[in-house]
Amino acid sequence: MSSLIRSNGSIDRDDFGYDARGPLLRDFGDSDELSTEDDERLMGGWRDASEGKKEGSDDFFRYLSFGCAMLSGLCAGSITAYSLYGHLFLKHLHYTQFQVNIVSITAELSTYLPVSIFGYLCDRYSPGSLSLISGLFFGPGYLLAAYTYRQGPPVSAGGNGWPFSMMVLGFVGIGMGTSSMYISAITTCAKNFGRGRHKGFALAMPIAAFGLSGFWQSQIGSRLLCERRPDGSRGDVDVFRFFLFLGITLFVVGVIGAFGLRVVGEGELIDEGVEELERSGLLSDSEFFRASESGRSYGALDGGRRHSGGVERRQREADEAKRREEEERRKKTWLLNEETRIFLSDHTMWWLAAGFFLVTGTGETFINNMGTIIGTLYHPSPDNTTTNPTSPATHVSIIAIASTFTRIFTGTISDYLAPAPPPRRYRASISSLHSLNGFDKSQHRFTISRLTLLVTFAFILSLGQVLLATGAVQQHGERFWAVSALIGSGYGAAFSLTPVIISVVWGVENFGTNWGIVAMAPALGATVYSVIYSWFYQRAVKGVPPGPGALGYGGPAEGMVKDILCYGKECYAGTFWIMSASVWVACGLWIWAWKGPSGWSKRGIAV
C-alpha cells in the first residue's frame, strides 16, 4: 500500500491502471463480462450433463417399463386357455353347452366392456395403479372358480355343489383382471414408444405376449397340472390346481406391474398434444385457452415485493408450484377430454370398430368353443373305443403360436413398409388436400398400407372358417391344425394392427381411452356369435333341422346322442358360414373407412 500513497498522502487514479479512453470501471466491466460468459459456459455444461443424465434415466425406466409390460402381457391372456377346460364343465359339472357358453360370454363381456373405463383410468392416473387393480381381480376370481369346480355339479344338475352363478361370478373377476392388466401393459408401450419409428413393433410385442400366454399356460396345465389315468398317462387338466396356479401367478404379476409400469415424459407428451391441437386451428375458442390467457401472468413476480423476506418468498414459490401443478393437471384433463370428443365424432372410427367387432367376435367364438367343436368330429363307438387324434390343448397352442407370430410380423413389417405419416397428426384439418397429397407423393419407396395387411389377414381368417364350414375336417381331426392356424393368424393381425392404426390416426396422448372404446367391440361380437353357435349346436342335439335349405342342411345331426353332446358337422357348419360372411363384410367396412368419402386416404392420413 505504501507505493500507492503519494507524498501528499493521496491515492492517484493512475495507480488503478486508469485509461483515458474508457471509464474508470471498464476493466471491472470486462471482468464481469468474462465472468458472465464463464458462468454461462459452466451452466451450459451443467445443463448438458443434467440433460444427458436425465435422458439416460428416462431410457432406463422406459425399457424397464417395457419389460414389465411384456411380463404382464405374457400372463394376462389366461382366458384364452378356456378351451383347455371348457369341455370339462360339461363332463364334471354337468353344465349344458348353453351354460358353458354363458361362462365364456361372461368372461368376454367382463374383459371387453370395462376396457374403455380401464383405459380412461390408465390415461388419467397411471398404468401401475391399474396393474395393481388387475391383481386384485385375478386372485379372488380364480380362487372362487377353483373351489366352485371342486364342489362338483350344482343342485340343479343333480349334485351338491355350489350354484352355477358362483362360477359366473368368478369369471367376472377373471375377465376384468384380463382387461385391466392388458390395457395397462399396452398403454405403457404406446405412450413410451408411440412417437418413434418402431411404434408398430413396440405395440406388437406386449400384444403378441398376450396371445402367447395361452400357449405356455395351457402347456403347464396339460403337462404338469393334469390328472393321471390308471396306467400313469396324462389325462385332462386338473382344473382346481390349474385355477389356483393362475390366481396366485397373476396376483403377483399385478403387484410387480404396480411398481414397474410408468409413462416416461408424460408432461412433454401432453404439452406436444396441446400444441398440435392449438396449431390445428380447431381450438381457438376453447374455454381452456381463454382461461389460460387470462391467467398466464401468474408466473411474474411483483417487482415491489422482489426483495421481501425469505419466508414470504418461499411461500410465494410454494404457491406458484402448487398453481403450476394444478394448471398441468387441468391441461391434461382438458386435452384428454378434447381428444376423446374428436375420436368419437369421427365417423371412420365407427367403421373401424364395426369391422373389428365382426372379425374378433368370430375369432373369439372359435377359440372359446374349440373344445366342443373338436368333440363333434368323431362319433363315439358303441364300446367307447373311438379316439380323437387331436386335443384342445394342442390347438390352443397352435392358435397361440400362429397369433403371436402374426402379431410380431405385422407390427414389425408395418414399421418398415407402411407409408410415413405427415409431420403433424391434425394436418388434414388445416392444410389443403393438394398439399397433403403432395407430401404422400414425395415418398419414393415401396410401401404397403397397414389397411392392406389388415384386410389380407382378415381374409385368411375367413378361409379357416370356410374350411370348417364345408366339413373338410369332419372325421379328419388331423386336418384341424390348418383351421386353427388360419384363424389364429387373422385374429392376431386384427389385434396387432388395429391399435397401431388408432395411434397413427388419432395419436397416443389419449390412447388408453381410444383403444379401450374400440376394444369393447369383441365383447358384443363374441356374445352374438356364441349364441349363434349354441343355437346350431343345441338344435342338432335335439335332431331338429337347423334351418331352411338356404344353408344347405335339412336332416338331423349325424351320430346324434340323447344327452347334451352333439356329433357331426351340422353342429357347427351353419355357424361358420355365417362367420365367414361376416368377416368379408368387415373387410368392406375397413376399405370404406380408408378409401371412402372423407376417409383417411382423402384426408392425407398415411396408415
Side-chain angles (χ1 to χ4, degrees):
M1 288 291 295
S2 62
S3 64
L4 296 177
I5 301 177
R6 305 303 176 194
S7 59
N8 59 4
S10 65
I11 299 176
D12 191 87
R13 63 185 179 181
D14 291 335
D15 296 324
F16 291 95
Y18 171 73
D19 185 353
R21 293 172 297 178
L24 174 64
L25 297 179
R26 176 166 184 167
D27 289 341
F28 292 98
D30 292 343
S31 176
D32 288 344
E33 289 177 4
L34 290 174
S35 177
T36 301
E37 292 176 1
D38 290 341
D39 288 345
E40 288 179 353
R41 283 195 296 268
L42 183 60
M43 292 300 294
W46 285 347
R47 282 194 297 268
D48 291 343
S50 177
E51 289 175 359
K53 183 177 180 181
K54 181 179 183 299
E55 184 177 351
S57 175
D58 286 349
D59 288 341
F60 171 77
F61 285 111
R62 186 176 287 113
Y63 288 106
L64 177 64
S65 295
F66 181 77
C68 290
M70 288 295 296
L71 177 63
S72 296
L74 278 170
C75 297
S78 61
I79 193 64
T80 60
Y82 186 81
S83 294
L84 183 65
Y85 51 81
H87 64 290
L88 297 178
F89 290 170
L90 292 169
K91 181 178 178 181
H92 293 288
L93 298 182
H94 300 169
Y95 290 169
T96 65
Q97 178 61 47
F98 183 73
Q99 286 178 311
V100 172
N101 276 4
I102 286 293
V103 175
S104 67
I105 290 171
T106 298
E108 297 291 343
L109 293 175
S110 300
T111 298
Y112 291 111
L113 288 185
V115 72
S116 61
I117 299 174
F118 291 139
Y120 178 92
L121 295 175
C122 195
D123 285 333
R124 269 68 179 177
Y125 297 97
S126 70
S129 59
L130 196 60
S131 179
L132 179 61
I133 291 174
S134 71
L136 298 177
F137 279 129
F138 268 129
Y142 270 117
L143 189 65
L144 179 59
Y147 280 95
T148 301
Y149 185 88
R150 192 178 196 182
Q151 298 302 312
V155 175
S156 60
N160 297 312
W162 291 357
F164 171 70
S165 58
M166 299 300 289
M167 183 66 75
V168 173
L169 182 61
F171 273 83
V172 169
I174 294 168
M176 296 181 75
T178 302
S179 177
S180 51
M181 185 172 286
Y182 168 81
I183 199 70
S184 65
I186 189 175
T187 301
T188 300
C189 293
K191 294 192 175 185
N192 282 338
F193 300 96
R195 291 174 291 175
R197 177 183 177 185
H198 302 292
K199 54 181 170 288
F201 177 80
L203 281 172
M205 289 303 292
I207 296 173
F210 181 84
L212 195 62
S213 58
F215 166 71
W216 72 266
Q217 289 166 353
S218 65
Q219 291 302 311
I220 287 179
S222 61
R223 296 178 181 276
L224 300 180
L225 303 176
C226 58
E227 298 172 343
R228 292 291 174 178
R229 296 190 178 97
D231 61 358
S233 62
R234 289 192 295 262
D236 291 319
V237 61
D238 186 329
V239 177
F240 175 73
R241 290 197 297 155
F242 186 56
F243 282 175
L244 288 182
F245 162 75
L246 291 176
I248 295 171
T249 301
L250 291 166
F251 174 78
V252 172
V253 171
V255 173
I256 293 174
F259 296 97
L261 295 178
R262 64 162 64 182
V263 177
V264 179
E266 186 175 24
E268 297 175 3
L269 189 69
I270 295 299
D271 288 340
E272 290 178 7
V274 171
E275 290 174 5
E276 286 184 8
L277 285 174
E278 190 174 16
R279 284 195 299 264
S280 71
L282 299 174
L283 307 174
S284 57
D285 296 327
S286 168
E287 181 180 350
F288 173 80
F289 280 101
R290 289 198 301 270
S292 297
E293 289 292 340
S294 64
R296 191 163 286 177
S297 61
Y298 67 81
L301 295 177
D302 185 0
R305 302 169 59 190
R306 187 174 300 168
H307 301 292
S308 57
V311 174
E312 185 177 353
R313 177 173 56 81
R314 286 193 294 270
Q315 182 61 44
R316 286 202 310 275
E317 290 175 352
D319 292 341
E320 288 298 321
K322 184 176 181 181
R323 280 196 293 268
R324 286 193 205 89
E325 183 180 354
E326 179 62 29
E327 181 75 4
E328 291 298 319
R329 184 163 51 247
R330 192 170 68 91
K331 179 168 62 175
K332 177 180 177 180
T333 301
W334 170 84
L335 173 68
L336 298 181
N337 290 341
E338 186 66 23
E339 293 211 349
T340 301
R341 183 192 65 79
I342 293 172
F343 183 72
L344 291 174
S345 62
D346 191 338
H347 68 278
T348 60
M349 182 278 290
W350 297 102
W351 298 126
L352 178 67
F356 193 66
F357 151 75
L358 294 172
V359 171
T360 58
T362 61
E364 294 275 0
T365 301
F366 171 77
I367 293 172
N368 291 338
N369 294 282
M370 188 169 55
T372 56
I373 294 171
I374 291 174
T376 66
L377 299 181
Y378 293 91
H379 309 280
S381 60
D383 56 359
N384 246 357
T385 58
T386 301
T387 58
N388 196 324
T390 190
S391 67
T394 299
H395 292 280
V396 168
S397 300
I398 291 175
I399 289 176
I401 293 172
S403 176
T404 300
F405 173 79
T406 306
R407 293 177 199 211
I408 296 175
F409 173 77
T410 54
T412 303
I413 202 71
S414 67
D415 284 336
Y416 291 96
L417 296 184
R424 291 198 275 273
R425 191 171 71 254
Y426 296 101
R427 188 174 178 179
S429 64
I430 58 176
S431 302
S432 66
L433 294 179
H434 174 76
S435 64
L436 290 171
N437 291 334
F439 175 85
D440 292 335
K441 292 176 181 178
S442 66
Q443 306 300 317
H444 300 293
R445 63 184 180 91
F446 176 74
T447 62
I448 298 178
S449 171
R450 293 181 177 91
L451 262 297
T452 301
L453 293 173
L454 183 60
V455 170
T456 299
F457 278 94
F459 182 75
I460 289 174
L461 182 148
S462 72
L463 294 181
Q465 295 168 336
V466 170
L467 186 63
L468 192 58
T470 57
V473 298
Q474 189 66 35
Q475 301 290 332
H476 294 282
E478 70 280 0
R479 301 174 183 172
F480 202 82
W481 69 268
V483 176
S484 299
L486 292 171
I487 293 180
S489 297
Y491 179 81
F495 271 97
S496 176
L497 292 170
T498 304
V500 177
I501 290 171
I502 290 174
S503 71
V504 170
V505 178
W506 293 283
V508 298
E509 296 86 1
N510 201 41
F511 177 84
T513 303
N514 293 348
W515 170 233
I517 291 171
V518 175
M520 293 171 61
L524 181 58
T527 301
V528 170
Y529 290 106
S530 291
V531 169
I532 292 174
Y533 173 77
S534 297
W535 184 80
F536 275 96
Y537 190 99
Q538 293 296 139
R539 297 273 288 187
V541 166
K542 298 176 181 178
V544 179
L551 291 177
Y553 311 112
E558 303 172 11
M560 183 184 59
V561 296
K562 295 181 180 180
D563 56 10
I564 59 177
L565 300 178
C566 179
Y567 303 97
K569 73 174 184 178
E570 283 78 7
C571 304
Y572 57 81
T575 301
F576 284 91
W577 279 121
I578 294 173
M579 288 182 176
S580 58
S582 299
V583 173
W584 298 334
V585 171
C587 294
L589 294 177
W590 285 335
I591 293 173
W592 181 261
W594 178 28
K595 294 293 186 181
S598 300
W600 302 323
S601 180
K602 299 296 183 182
R603 301 180 199 177
I605 300 175
V607 293

